[in-house]
Amino acid sequence: MADAHAHGGGNLVPVLLSFSGFSRPSAVPAGSGYEVLIQKFLSIYGAQIDVHRKFLMQLFSEEWGQYIDLPKGFTVADKCRLRLVPLQTEITALGNLSPATTVFFCCDMQERFRPAIKYFGDIISVGQRLLQGARILGIPVIVSEQYPKGLGSTVQEMDLTGAKMVFPKTKFSMVLPEVEATLAEIPGARSVVLFGVETHVCIQQTALDLIGRGFEVHIVADATSSRSMMDRMFSLERLARTGIIITTSESVLLQLVADKEHPKFKEIQNIIKASAPESGLLSKV
């Protein structure tokens, strides 16, 4: 297998990747999940893949003798056949948010980041809107703090009252075993609204881990930032290519109420009455 030899040594597993009538043998590291596989598809078939369309990845099942949807949390362990299937019609439910199936993740909004992160004051302001909306709508909030012994606690402006979980971490991703256990305790949790810092590090790695576990991820663009606007903007672009939804705080809050007649609409309306700061999103990189 030429592609496998090109990678040199290491524990590579042969895979056959098919798209639009074409098939090509390749190899990926053992343990590779959805993110690595989608990047491999893009590297092989990138010129033919319309990144603005939705795709479904499928695995050939020897048991059933046909392709099946990629199982949740799938990782490559043995030689296998995979294909990427473009969806012929839009799935209108994709991207919709409901309070009953949504969890908010607030990532590393800590004091020591204040002088370093671009537009940190704006990110705090928008993050506080989201936390307030979560309390009004009864949405669980999970909060991480990166090495709080050295980087401090969450900034005082962020009111964490009612948060389901506040935990320290050293790993960049928020998806730790204790977080997965907490998510498993939330019935029907399907969508994660993610915000905080830094976009290209902890936010990006958290988002990729979540979609690899079958969650739909919404990153709030006006509530996440980095030390560098270049890192921030290129990370958001990369994440959008993997099927993650890049959105805004007002869009999220209004999606969650969905109807002017929602009993909490007035309270949410009061939060967004003044437009959120644009946090540099309209500036040149």
Side-chain angles (χ1 to χ4, degrees):
M1 184 180 296
D3 198 36
H5 290 302
H7 286 79
N11 189 15
L12 294 177
V13 179
V15 292
L16 182 68
L17 302 180
S18 301
F19 175 74
S20 187
F22 299 95
S23 294
R24 178 171 170 181
S26 187
V28 295
S32 295
Y34 177 86
E35 162 66 5
V36 172
L37 292 169
I38 197 69
Q39 292 300 327
K40 179 62 76 171
F41 270 105
L42 286 169
S43 71
I44 295 172
Y45 298 110
Q48 300 164 262
I49 295 176
D50 180 356
V51 296
H52 299 293
R53 294 188 66 180
K54 301 298 180 184
F55 293 89
L56 181 67
M57 195 179 298
Q58 295 185 320
L59 170 72
F60 188 83
S61 167
E62 298 292 346
E63 179 182 359
W64 297 103
Q66 64 181 22
Y67 282 94
I68 61 172
D69 295 350
L70 197 69
K72 184 177 180 180
F74 171 82
T75 58
V76 175
D78 301 302
K79 180 178 178 181
C80 61
R81 295 157 58 185
L82 297 145
R83 72 178 180 184
L84 200 60
V85 182
L87 299 176
Q88 298 303 311
T89 57
E90 286 293 318
I91 300 178
T92 54
L94 188 67
N96 282 342
L97 289 170
S98 164
T101 58
T102 299
V103 182
F104 279 18
F105 273 32
C106 175
C107 182
D108 304 350
M109 289 294 293
Q110 291 157 259
E111 191 58 45
R112 287 287 294 276
F113 291 126
R114 190 186 296 267
I117 301 297
K118 295 286 189 184
Y119 300 97
F120 193 68
D122 288 353
I123 303 304
I124 292 173
S125 174
V126 179
Q128 178 59 6
R129 288 179 178 223
L130 292 166
L131 293 175
Q132 188 178 350
R135 285 192 296 273
I136 291 169
L137 297 171
I139 295 170
V141 177
I142 294 176
V143 182
S144 69
E145 294 177 340
Q146 180 74 13
Y147 186 56
K149 182 179 178 181
L151 297 173
S153 301
T154 301
V155 296
Q156 290 186 351
E157 298 98 314
M158 304 281 284
D159 184 357
L160 302 183
T161 302
K164 186 170 185 68
M165 181 183 189
V166 181
F167 70 98
K169 66 182 179 69
T170 56
K171 185 180 178 182
F172 296 139
S173 173
M174 290 178 68
V175 185
L176 300 180
E178 57 265 41
V179 174
E180 293 191 78
T182 298
L183 285 170
E185 295 169 0
I186 302 172
R190 180 178 66 85
S191 303
V192 173
V193 172
L194 175 61
F195 57 100
V197 299
E198 288 186 68
T199 310
H200 67 296
V201 186
C202 297
I203 293 292
Q204 178 170 289
Q205 293 186 32
T206 299
L208 296 175
D209 281 350
L210 286 167
I211 62 168
R213 286 159 175 77
F215 289 94
E216 182 181 85
V217 180
H218 299 243
I219 294 178
V220 187
D222 55 335
T224 180
S225 191
S226 299
R227 288 168 296 156
S228 157
M229 285 293 286
M230 180 183 70
D231 285 330
R232 178 190 189 188
M233 302 312 289
F234 276 100
S235 177
L236 291 175
E237 181 181 337
R238 177 208 173 175
L239 291 166
R241 285 171 61 89
T242 62
I244 290 165
I245 297 163
I246 310 300
T247 186
T248 64
S249 56
E250 183 168 323
S251 178
V252 165
L253 293 172
L254 290 177
Q255 265 194 297
L256 287 164
V257 292
D259 192 323
K260 181 182 178 299
E261 300 305 316
H262 190 288
K264 300 292 186 180
F265 172 74
K266 287 289 186 184
E267 292 178 73
I268 296 298
Q269 186 182 43
N270 287 335
I271 296 175
I272 63 172
K273 192 168 288 183
S275 294
E278 55 94 5
S279 68
L281 290 171
L282 303 183
S283 303
K284 292 182 179 179
V285 175

